[in-house]
Amino acid sequence: MKLVEQLVAGSQTEELIWLNGYIAGLLAGKNGSEQQLPAIQPKPSISKITIAFGTETGNSKKLASSFAARAKKAGINTKLVDLNQYRLNDLQKEEYFISIVSTHGDGEPPAAAKKFYDHIHNNGFKLEKLNYGVLALGDSSYPLFCKAGEEIDLQLRKMGAHRLVPLQKCDTDYETDAESWFEGVLHHLSNSSSNSAPAVEAIVPKKSTGKKIYTGTVLASINLNDQGSNKETFHIEIEAGDVDYLPGDSLGIVPENPRHKVEAIINLLETDAEKKYSFRNEEYSLFDLLKKKLEIVYLPERVVNAYAKLVNQDIPATRIGLLDLLKIYPLKNWDQLEQLVSILEPITPRLYSISSSPEAHSGEVHITVAKDKFTVNEELKFGLCSNYLSGFEVGQQVQFYIHKNLQFRLPADDKDVIMIGPGTGIAPFRSFIAHRDSTGAAGKNWLFFGDQHFVTDFLYQTEIQSWIDTGSLSKIDLAFSRDQEQKVYVQHKMQKNGRQLYEWLENGASLYVCGAKEPMSIDVENTLVKIVQEHGNKKPEEAIGFIHHLRNEGRYLKDVY
């Protein structure tokens, strides 16, 4: 019963539905002596396909695994491969190649697909024997929706490859569209008789309903840094009774632009703030557009270039806001205002690692936000979203969505966990420890945390002390970089505890890293290689292989930014 309860607690809705059907099938097989045999499916004319995925959060891998299982069930010999491990020279040997790729950053492929992406763009070979299909995952809230998948599809066509089915772009609620698309792939494979068969139209899926948007109430907003700190880090609690998430997921939020900037732009344009404009097939007042929908604080270079064409000016590439752009290069006439609105891009959502647990903080979701500060021309500036979130007041209503991260999940309750999270990288590990504490997980928990100063920057110090006292946190190592003359970081603490860290990994522990991608996560990985090399008595290449093995087993997971 305990195993069943653990399985159910760690499963998502679609996984529970699958389990229900699977168990029902087992029972039917045992009890139904007159069970009808399934209808014999026509044997597909295609004998072998490759399904390759490029993922950051695990969604592409999840779909690829599901597709591979269905293809094998249909009698097709299927190779499933991560694009990060795909042998690039094999591409010219492929006949049927299905690619499932997400889009990240500014229209970029995930890191795992970068080598493949560069390979097809930077080499002059042809793929005239290749039949392919591309499923692109993305988030329609972003301007360059599914851009990486689009570019891979376009480049394969330029290289002479033949489309099996049209490109399918999927939003965050991708399951139905993706399943319908793959039905089209299987239909084509089952009826194909030649390598150059023309693409058939994919089964038209239902219209996407968009991601689920929650409306919550701010319960608390607390600056975790003490007086005298160089930083401001806000712990924000939001009440939302129906919120559905797991430790490791992120909260997505679309920030609003500062009111004073919006009013300054409208005053500069000498126009009516209530005049209606169309945006994504809906009507909004100019004020609401500039406040809640359009990016105006830091314009991407492509928007600046479009504006330069609009006003017929040579504008150098620079980080500039709409207000300054309008001041330096004003519109020629007010008829251009509508064109200006059309070239501005929507505000992109920001993702924050969730720092609460649904078991420990029922009906709530917490995030940990560092207020981003920087200077431009000696003027202090703030990050748009962190500045917006730091201004939250108790009782304020806020809209958000949950971004699932299947690649950053806790292991089984009896497994040990090593967590490395300096600064706001502590966020998901607060969730992990609270969750394991609430569920009574038997596995040990080891936390590496660091920041600038012990006195002012020890985030969640009281909670961490309580977890140590109760045994929920088995071991903690702290690195406060500026409390001594020589800076000390988490990687130095890892090195100091290298033998024990290696022993934990040898005994099956999972290692998680969260925080800044550069240089922190790189320094941590380099240190990890040295630890394995020294305490595992391995050669450099063997130590690297050990790390790759951890990653392949799902025991070395990173959530870095």
Side-chain angles (χ1 to χ4, degrees):
M1 177 58 72
K2 185 176 180 181
L3 288 172
V4 171
E5 288 173 349
Q6 290 174 355
L7 178 62
V8 170
S11 299
Q12 297 184 51
T13 302
E14 61 268 27
E15 293 167 339
L16 292 173
I17 294 171
W18 184 90
L19 278 171
N20 182 55
Y22 178 72
I23 293 170
L26 288 177
L27 291 173
K30 287 183 177 181
N31 301 328
S33 57
E34 298 181 5
Q35 180 84 9
Q36 279 193 330
L37 292 174
I40 298 174
Q41 298 295 325
K43 184 176 177 61
S45 57
I46 305 305
S47 62
K48 180 181 178 182
I49 64 170
T50 294
I51 300 178
F53 61 89
T55 188
E56 289 276 357
T57 62
N59 292 334
S60 297
K61 180 179 180 179
K62 177 183 174 183
L63 282 174
S65 300
S66 171
F67 292 168
R70 289 172 60 188
K72 289 176 182 178
K73 190 175 180 180
I76 302 172
N77 185 15
T78 306
K79 179 173 73 174
L80 177 66
V81 62
D82 187 335
L83 282 173
N84 194 39
Q85 300 172 345
Y86 182 68
R87 290 190 301 184
L88 300 176
N89 291 335
D90 285 353
L91 186 61
Q92 289 172 277
K93 306 172 188 176
E94 302 279 9
E95 290 187 71
Y96 293 90
F97 186 80
I98 305 301
S99 177
I100 305 168
V101 181
S102 55
T103 295
H104 294 270
D106 199 18
E108 302 161 0
K114 190 68 168 62
K115 286 191 296 183
F116 175 82
Y117 181 90
D118 292 341
H119 180 68
I120 63 173
H121 280 84
N122 299 333
N123 294 279
F125 57 90
K126 290 292 185 181
L127 296 171
E128 294 173 346
K129 293 183 179 180
L130 181 70
N131 298 277
Y132 77 94
V134 176
L135 180 72
L137 301 185
D139 185 334
S140 60
S141 301
Y142 289 81
L144 300 180
F145 174 53
C146 291
K147 185 67 172 176
E150 284 183 339
E151 292 187 349
I152 289 174
D153 176 77
L154 178 62
Q155 186 61 21
L156 290 176
R157 291 191 74 187
K158 285 181 178 179
M159 299 167 78
H162 308 280
R163 266 183 175 172
L164 288 170
V165 290
L167 168 73
Q168 175 69 61
K169 297 195 291 186
C170 294
D171 207 341
T172 51
D173 59 331
Y174 56 83
E175 286 91 348
T176 301
D177 289 358
E179 292 292 333
S180 296
W181 177 83
F182 194 65
E183 282 295 331
V185 172
L186 289 178
H187 174 78
H188 184 70
L189 293 176
S190 297
N191 293 279
S192 178
S193 59
S194 71
N195 287 349
S196 57
V200 298
E201 288 300 314
I203 298 172
V204 179
K206 71 174 183 62
K207 183 175 176 56
S208 178
T209 56
K211 63 180 74 71
K212 181 173 181 178
I213 303 297
Y214 296 93
T215 299
T217 303
V218 176
L219 296 175
S221 179
I222 304 163
N223 182 6
L224 298 174
N225 298 102
D226 211 336
Q227 284 187 324
S229 175
N230 297 320
K231 302 180 176 184
E232 290 180 273
T233 308
F234 290 86
H235 169 77
I236 299 171
E237 300 179 359
I238 302 169
E239 182 182 39
D242 58 342
V243 65
D244 177 26
Y245 69 94
L246 288 173
D249 289 339
S250 296
L251 179 144
I253 192 163
V254 179
E256 294 184 9
N257 291 308
R259 187 182 187 92
H260 69 274
K261 285 190 179 292
V262 174
E263 291 175 342
I265 290 171
I266 292 173
N267 290 336
L268 180 66
L269 293 172
E270 297 179 344
T271 188
D272 182 6
E274 296 304 316
K275 185 176 179 181
K276 300 293 184 181
Y277 291 88
S278 178
F279 173 73
R280 293 192 169 183
N281 301 319
E282 292 189 45
E283 294 289 317
Y284 297 92
S285 69
L286 179 61
F287 179 87
D288 284 343
L289 268 181
L290 297 178
K291 183 77 170 66
K292 302 177 182 179
K293 299 296 178 181
L294 298 176
E295 179 64 74
I296 64 171
V297 177
Y298 304 113
L299 302 180
E301 187 176 331
R302 57 184 173 270
V303 172
V304 176
N305 290 339
Y307 183 84
K309 293 177 182 177
L310 176 62
V311 296
N312 195 26
Q313 293 269 10
D314 288 326
I315 303 176
T318 183
R319 192 179 192 187
I320 192 170
L322 180 60
L323 181 60
D324 290 334
L325 191 65
L326 289 168
K327 286 179 179 177
I328 302 169
Y329 307 98
L331 295 174
K332 301 294 184 183
N333 57 70
W334 303 129
D335 292 338
Q336 293 181 319
L337 180 54
E338 191 161 344
Q339 291 174 270
L340 169 62
V341 169
S342 70
I343 65 174
L344 292 174
E345 294 182 350
I347 301 172
T348 56
R350 273 65 164 179
L351 297 177
Y352 292 89
S353 298
I354 293 173
S355 52
S356 55
S357 157
E359 292 291 332
H361 312 97
S362 179
E364 299 177 11
V365 59
H366 304 170
I367 54 175
T368 309
V369 180
K371 191 171 183 179
D372 186 21
K373 302 177 184 179
F374 55 95
T375 56
V376 177
N377 298 325
E378 300 184 353
E379 182 183 355
L380 181 63
K381 302 278 189 179
F382 299 101
L384 173 61
C385 196
S386 63
N387 190 45
Y388 170 67
L389 293 173
S390 67
F392 275 1
E393 297 180 354
V394 174
Q396 179 176 335
Q397 295 287 294
V398 57
Q399 290 190 323
F400 62 91
Y401 65 94
I402 299 299
H403 181 84
K404 298 290 184 181
N405 188 351
L406 304 180
Q407 293 290 83
F408 208 72
R409 290 282 188 253
L410 280 166
D413 283 356
D414 62 341
K415 299 297 183 182
D416 298 338
V417 169
I418 303 168
M419 299 162 282
I420 303 170
T424 54
I426 186 70
F429 303 140
R430 178 180 183 261
S431 172
F432 279 18
I433 301 167
H435 195 80
R436 299 194 109 198
D437 181 39
S438 295
T439 58
K444 295 182 293 184
N445 305 304
W446 184 358
L447 174 67
F448 288 87
F449 173 74
D451 214 311
Q452 291 187 352
H453 299 284
F454 174 87
V455 173
T456 58
D457 305 317
F458 193 168
L459 309 183
Y460 298 113
Q461 179 180 355
T462 304
E463 286 185 337
I464 288 172
Q465 184 62 54
S466 175
W467 284 325
I468 293 172
D469 292 342
T470 60
S472 298
L473 189 54
S474 312
K475 182 173 173 56
I476 185 169
D477 283 279
L478 303 171
F480 293 99
S481 60
R482 288 160 177 77
D483 278 349
Q484 58 282 311
E485 186 175 345
Q486 189 171 1
K487 292 180 180 177
V488 176
Y489 297 109
V490 287
Q491 62 266 26
H492 298 125
K493 294 293 185 174
M494 291 171 60
Q495 190 79 49
K496 185 177 179 181
N497 293 271
R499 180 172 297 281
Q500 189 174 8
L501 196 152
Y502 179 71
E503 288 174 354
W504 276 49
L505 292 175
E506 277 283 271
N507 292 327
S510 295
L511 188 146
Y512 298 82
V513 181
C514 183
K517 185 175 184 178
E518 296 180 354
M520 186 277 293
S521 72
I522 296 172
D523 292 340
V524 163
E525 182 156 324
N526 291 337
T527 301
L528 191 58
V529 171
K530 291 177 183 176
I531 289 171
V532 172
Q533 187 178 342
E534 178 183 354
H535 298 286
N537 194 26
K538 299 181 186 295
K539 296 177 182 178
E541 60 272 18
E542 291 175 331
I544 293 171
F546 181 89
I547 303 304
H548 285 323
H549 179 68
L550 288 180
R551 187 180 287 114
N552 291 339
E553 282 192 331
R555 293 201 293 125
Y556 177 35
L557 304 171
K558 295 189 285 188
D559 182 10
V560 295
Y561 36 84

